[in-house]
């Protein structure tokens, strides 16, 4: 009976997860039916792009965390009747199309954009804001912030209020309650937030293309070029994807290791 | 006479326009074991939250040793709480849960270690230091919660239905254990329960509450023998509560018959509540003088038989060591001392 119920799910997994993975691996190691390590070896040429992608995605993830955590604390401390409304206000920009949102930043950051016009009023600038790494990080933070905030908020909202009162009862002021109880209990949310921001950020190609100009290519751009661009090379594209996947898996395993350090999280 | 450690003065609390605590006045003396007793939802937890500082009352004052502490936040009050559902820290093991308060106070490591070990022995959990609190039984979690609060040696310990989740045998053991700890450590206990037997066995003073109003404050013996109104009488043990008419001082009419009693000061021809405990009634052959009724049921309760006897306007509950036959007509005998007269409560 149980097997029957899970059957559609297993079929779905097989068709849309396992098969594509096998295909990626196949293209990475086989060209014209022959096994080769050339493509995987070639990936090392793009080490600088890998490092840049990891670096920018990591910065964006950290900024998302720094912004989201206090916001989540404030949200959970707010009157229960307003929490929904507050959350909606935070999420509102997400209802706009992803491309549109990113285009908007182009017009804000451009040389003749709103910000530079504003600086111009004070006789400053124009500054080069668009087509910089900073702009790429900004785009990542702006687009992926909710993916950090939501899991943290969800975990935090589920913490039993009486546990926080117990901490107060035992001598903790507000700051210590957060440090000694809220933070350790919210770690699962932080961990999934980090994953949900870092993974799309490291593989994005639209944000870097639109806000980073030509000089700030990320892995996502590189992969896209192998499949759709003029440097058409699906084998190399598959090899890069595979390496990226392994790097992400390694980083996530490392994070979880550090998280599972001394205590079982419930 | 010991001095008051906590005084509540005219405390009122409302939630959503509903009165939860209604003009509460209560003095608690140092080292006293006080129990707040009342049905679920009557405001017991709310009262503890006011004392602990988690809830600011709408009006009234909370005094600690005669000083107003309304502005003192919970973490600065010399009060610790055993919460209703324990509220243990799920991310910490047994040792760290108990050591929590001492670590916050930055006590030296070896002193923390000594005190926690002592506490663990006291609550019979030695050897459980490293155990995750999520893998403890209800009774063990209970004892961790008590140890976590007691280890801080507070002046006052608030306990919110701490034995609620335990089975009868363990509950009895813990009642004795808690009472012993309270006497040995000389801490004021403010204990919440809805179990009248628990309240009567453990307390120096019982505070009976209903609907946010204190019904009666007194020693367990006073509360049992001299309930102030029908609610207290009914809540403390099983009772027959009847409509009566106070003819004049020391004379009352129940079920159409007039009895001599010991109460006075109710005026003449005043409707009153009359309480007679089931164990104070003796079954006699019907004689026309006493109230008579038909035995409807007899249940063996171990020490006594519980009988339901139908008289013409009331079903009487009678406890007796001798069983009567069902359907037999019997007389109900009780003395003047056994009749408790109470003013009718409004509403
Ligand atoms: N924070 C709150 N908001 C609204 N109503 C509450 C709140 N806390 C308690 N109440 C209400 O107050 C009443 C008394 O609650 P409580 O003090 O917990 O009762 P007890 O502990 O005696 O069972 C209940 O009707 C409960 O629903
Ligand atoms: Mg309660």
């Amino acid at each position: 009976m149980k097997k029957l119920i899970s059957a559609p799910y297993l079929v779905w997994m097989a068709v849309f997860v396992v098969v594509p993975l096998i295909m990626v691996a196949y293209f990475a190691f086989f060209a014209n039916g022959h096994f080769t390590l050339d493509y995987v070896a070639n990936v090392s040429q793009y080490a600088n792009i890998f490092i840049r992608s990891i670096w920018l995605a990591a910065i964006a993830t950290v900024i998302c965390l720094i912004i989201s955590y206090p916001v989540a604390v404030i949200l959970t401390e707010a009157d229960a009747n307003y929490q929904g409304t507050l959350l909606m206000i935070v999420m509102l920009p997400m209802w706009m199309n992803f491309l549109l949102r990113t285009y908007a930043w182009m017009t804000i950051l451009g040389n003749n954009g709103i910000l530079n016009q504003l600086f111009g009023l004070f006789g400053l600038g124009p500054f080069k804001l668009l087509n910089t790494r900073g702009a790429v990080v900004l785009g990542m933070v702006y687009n992926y912030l909710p993916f950090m905030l939501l899991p943290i908020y969800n975990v935090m909202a589920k913490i039993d209020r009486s546990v926080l009162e117990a901490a107060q009862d035992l001598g903790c002021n507000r700051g210590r309650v957060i440090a000694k109880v809220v933070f350790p209990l919210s770690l699962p949310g932080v961990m999934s937030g980090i994953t949900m921001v870092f993974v799309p950020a490291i593989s994005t190609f639209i944000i870097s293309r639109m806000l980073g100009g030509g000089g700030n290519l990320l892995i996502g751009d590189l992969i896209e070029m192998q499949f759709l661009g003029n440097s058409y090379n699906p084998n190399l594209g598959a090899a890069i994807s595979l390496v990226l996947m392994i790097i992400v898996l390694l980083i996530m395993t490392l994070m979880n290791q550090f998280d599972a350090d001394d205590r079982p999280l419930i | 006479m010991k001095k008051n450690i906590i005084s509540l003065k005219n405390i009122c609390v409302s939630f959503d326009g509903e009165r939860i605590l209604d003009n509460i006045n209560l003095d608690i003396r140092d080292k006293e074991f006080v129990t707040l007793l009342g049905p679920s939802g009557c405001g017991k937890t709310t009262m503890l939250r006011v004392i602990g500082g988690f809830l600011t009352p709408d009006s009234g004052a909370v005094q600690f040793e005669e000083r107003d502490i309304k502005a003192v936040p919970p973490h600065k009050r010399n009060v610790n709480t055993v919460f209703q559902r324990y509220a243990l820290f799920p991310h910490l093991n047994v040792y760290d849960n108990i050591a929590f308060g001492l670590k916050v106070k930055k006590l030296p490591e070896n002193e923390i270690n000594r005190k926690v070990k002592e506490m663990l022995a006291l609550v019979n959990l030695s050897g459980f230091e490293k155990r995750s609190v999520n893998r403890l039984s209800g009774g063990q979690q209970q004892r961790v919660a008590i140890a976590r609060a007691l280890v801080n040696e507070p002046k006052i310990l608030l306990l919110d239905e701490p034995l609620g989740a335990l089975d009868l045998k363990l509950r009895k053991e813990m009642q004795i254990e808690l009472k012993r700890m309270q006497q040995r450590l000389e801490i004021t206990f403010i204990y919440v329960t809805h179990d009248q037997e628990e309240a009567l066995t453990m307390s120096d003073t019982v505070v009976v509450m209903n609907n946010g109003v204190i019904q009666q404050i007194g020693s367990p013996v006073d509360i049992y023998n001299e309930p102030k109104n029908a609610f207290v009488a009914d809540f403390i043990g099983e009772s027959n509560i009847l409509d009566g008419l106070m003819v004049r001082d020391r004379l009352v009419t129940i079920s159409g018959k007039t009895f001599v009693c010991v109460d006075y000061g109710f005026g003449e021809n005043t409707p009153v509540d009359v309480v007679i405990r089931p164990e104070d009634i003796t079954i006699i052959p019907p004689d026309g003088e006493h109230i008579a009724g038909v035995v409807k049921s007899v249940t063996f309760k171990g020490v006594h038989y519980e009988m339901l006897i139908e008289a013409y306007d009331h079903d009487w509950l009678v406890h007796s060591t001798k069983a009567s036959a069902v359907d037999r007509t019997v007389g109900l005998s009780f003395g003047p001392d056994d009749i408790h007269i109470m003013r009718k409560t409004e509403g």
Side-chain angles (χ1 to χ4, degrees):
Chain A
M1 191 60 205
K2 251 186 184 162
K3 270 185 188 153
L4 268 178
I5 293 172
S6 61
Y9 179 67
L10 290 178
V11 171
W12 175 276
M13 287 268 289
V15 173
F16 293 103
V17 178
V18 178
V19 171
L21 274 176
I22 292 172
M23 282 170 69
V24 167
Y26 177 81
F27 275 107
F29 289 112
F30 289 90
N32 307 321
H34 297 291
F35 180 79
T36 170
L37 283 174
D38 290 355
Y39 296 110
V40 179
N42 273 344
V43 173
S44 63
Q45 290 175 12
Y46 304 102
N48 60 333
I49 296 183
F50 270 91
I51 290 168
R52 182 191 302 143
S53 298
I54 294 171
W55 180 234
L56 294 188
I59 293 175
T61 307
V62 169
I63 294 175
C64 280
L65 181 58
I66 291 172
I67 296 173
S68 296
Y69 205 85
V71 174
V73 171
I74 292 166
L75 274 175
T76 42
E77 280 177 4
D79 191 320
N81 301 324
Y82 303 125
Q83 282 188 22
T85 318
L86 284 173
L87 201 63
M88 207 183 78
I89 292 170
V90 176
M91 305 307 286
L92 210 56
M94 291 303 113
W95 295 5
M96 260 189 314
N97 178 279
F98 179 86
L99 281 175
L100 214 63
R101 266 181 284 150
T102 313
Y103 263 121
W105 278 110
M106 289 177 79
T107 64
I108 294 172
L109 299 176
N111 276 350
N112 294 316
I114 297 169
L115 272 180
N116 270 321
Q117 282 181 18
L118 207 66
F119 288 135
L121 292 180
F122 301 97
L124 299 167
F127 298 104
K128 183 173 161 43
L129 300 173
L130 196 60
N131 301 340
T132 59
R133 288 183 177 195
V136 176
V137 171
L138 178 78
M140 289 174 175
V141 170
Y142 183 71
N143 278 310
Y144 301 130
L145 192 63
F147 299 124
M148 183 66 83
L149 180 62
L150 274 186
I152 296 178
Y153 168 77
N154 273 337
V155 171
M156 222 181 251
K158 283 199 197 85
I159 297 176
D160 187 355
R161 298 290 98 181
S162 65
V163 171
L164 307 184
E165 285 189 358
Q168 277 181 286
D169 188 79
L170 294 166
C172 290
N173 57 22
R174 183 163 173 265
R176 280 191 169 170
V177 172
I178 292 173
K180 294 186 78 108
V181 181
V182 176
F183 184 70
L185 287 178
S186 65
L187 271 183
V190 172
M191 287 301 145
S192 58
I194 288 176
T195 312
M196 309 236 320
V197 171
F198 184 75
V199 172
I202 201 176
S203 54
T204 182
F205 58 95
I206 293 182
I207 294 173
S208 48
R209 167 113 32 98
M210 290 169 77
L211 302 177
N216 291 300
L217 279 187
L218 299 183
I219 308 173
D221 302 288
L222 198 61
I223 296 171
E224 194 223 5
M225 274 157 52
Q226 311 310 319
F227 289 100
L228 301 172
N230 23 21
S231 55
Y232 183 74
N233 188 347
N235 295 102
L236 181 61
I240 300 171
S241 303
L242 202 65
V243 173
L244 174 62
M245 211 150 63
I246 289 165
I247 289 176
V248 169
L249 273 177
L250 277 178
I251 293 175
M252 287 306 139
T253 317
L254 222 71
M255 294 280 309
N256 283 332
Q257 214 56 43
F258 151 83
D259 169 37
D261 231 7
D262 46 358
R263 52 189 156 247
L265 286 164
I266 312 92
Chain B
M1 187 83 173
K2 285 181 208 152
K3 62 183 192 315
N4 290 335
I5 189 159
I6 282 277
S7 297
L8 302 178
K9 308 259 186 219
N10 308 310
I11 297 284
C12 292
V13 171
S14 298
F15 287 122
D16 312 319
E18 201 187 332
R19 267 290 162 87
I20 302 300
L21 291 182
D22 196 354
N23 200 30
I24 296 287
N25 283 288
L26 179 63
D27 291 321
I28 293 169
R29 273 172 282 120
D30 196 14
K31 302 180 179 43
E32 196 178 11
F33 194 125
V34 179
T35 300
L36 309 181
L37 173 66
S40 180
C42 73
K44 306 182 296 292
T45 298
T46 307
M47 199 141 130
L48 283 196
R49 290 170 57 78
V50 169
I51 297 172
F54 298 107
L55 186 71
T56 311
D58 301 337
S59 63
V62 184
Q63 296 178 340
F64 179 79
E65 293 176 338
E66 251 99 85
R67 288 189 333 272
D68 194 297
I69 54 164
K70 210 166 173 180
V72 181
H75 68 275
K76 290 198 178 135
R77 294 192 181 190
N78 202 347
V79 172
N80 284 114
T81 309
V82 178
F83 289 85
Q84 189 157 10
R85 280 178 307 276
Y86 320 146
L88 299 179
F89 303 118
H91 59 300
L92 300 177
N93 63 22
V94 171
Y95 181 95
D96 289 330
N97 259 280
I98 298 176
F100 192 93
L102 303 177
K103 283 183 180 167
V104 169
K105 290 195 197 78
K106 301 226 156 58
L107 258 62
E109 196 67 41
N110 56 352
E111 205 177 326
I112 293 179
N113 197 28
R114 183 179 58 76
K115 289 191 175 201
V116 173
K117 288 268 152 70
E118 251 175 52
M119 254 313 138
L120 279 167
L122 190 68
V123 296
N124 256 323
L125 282 176
S126 298
F128 282 72
E129 287 86 343
K130 293 269 178 289
R131 192 76 78 85
S132 154
V133 291
N134 307 294
R135 287 193 289 119
L136 296 179
S137 71
Q140 291 166 333
Q141 292 190 13
Q142 182 58 71
R143 284 178 278 157
V144 174
I146 292 170
R148 181 181 69 175
L150 267 183
V151 77
N152 302 287
E153 293 163 25
K155 278 254 173 93
I156 303 170
L157 189 67
L158 310 179
L159 304 99
D160 197 350
E161 313 214 7
L163 309 182
L166 309 187
D167 60 53
L168 187 65
K169 185 164 171 292
L170 193 54
R171 192 156 73 227
K172 296 270 180 223
E173 283 171 21
M174 285 299 292
Q175 284 174 5
I176 296 165
E177 196 57 47
L178 276 176
K179 180 75 187 170
R180 252 212 322 259
M181 286 184 206
Q182 188 258 340
Q183 285 166 340
R184 212 183 75 195
L185 304 169
E186 302 203 307
I187 295 175
T188 308
F189 271 36
I190 306 179
Y191 190 99
V192 162
T193 182
H194 63 256
D195 178 344
Q196 47 100 9
E197 198 193 324
E198 191 166 288
L200 295 181
T201 40
M202 297 174 81
S203 323
D204 300 321
T205 304
V206 178
V207 179
V208 185
M209 291 178 65
N210 189 31
N211 289 327
V213 180
I214 292 182
Q215 304 291 322
Q216 186 169 359
I217 304 175
S219 72
V221 174
D222 286 350
I223 297 267
Y224 190 84
N225 287 338
E226 304 294 335
K228 249 193 196 155
N229 58 37
F231 173 82
V232 177
D234 190 33
F235 198 75
I236 307 289
E238 289 166 304
S239 276
N240 295 291
I241 301 176
L242 307 113
D243 288 324
L245 188 73
M246 203 67 187
V247 181
R248 55 185 154 80
D249 282 355
R250 298 183 180 85
L251 205 63
V252 65
T253 306
I254 318 162
S255 295
K257 295 190 186 298
T258 304
F259 297 89
V260 175
C261 63
V262 296
D263 299 83
Y264 54 90
F266 291 85
E268 294 193 355
N269 293 318
T270 318
V272 289
D273 282 326
V274 179
V275 169
I276 302 174
R277 297 277 181 201
E279 66 270 26
D280 291 339
I281 300 169
T282 314
I283 303 261
I284 53 165
D287 58 0
E289 200 179 312
H290 293 86
I291 294 170
V294 179
V295 179
K296 299 307 285 183
S297 70
V298 179
T299 318
F300 183 56
K301 289 285 183 180
V303 186
H304 61 258
Y305 292 92
E306 182 178 288
M307 285 173 279
L308 205 59
I309 293 166
E310 190 181 81
Y312 83 94
D313 64 347
H314 182 77
D315 286 348
W316 292 70
L317 196 64
V318 177
H319 291 172
S320 167
T321 47
K322 283 203 300 282
S324 295
V326 175
D327 288 336
R328 179 179 297 173
T329 302
V330 297
L332 305 172
S333 157
F334 38 82
D337 282 349
D338 303 325
I339 302 172
H340 305 287
I341 308 289
M342 285 151 216
R343 258 172 232 293
K344 284 216 173 274
T345 36
E346 306 89 65

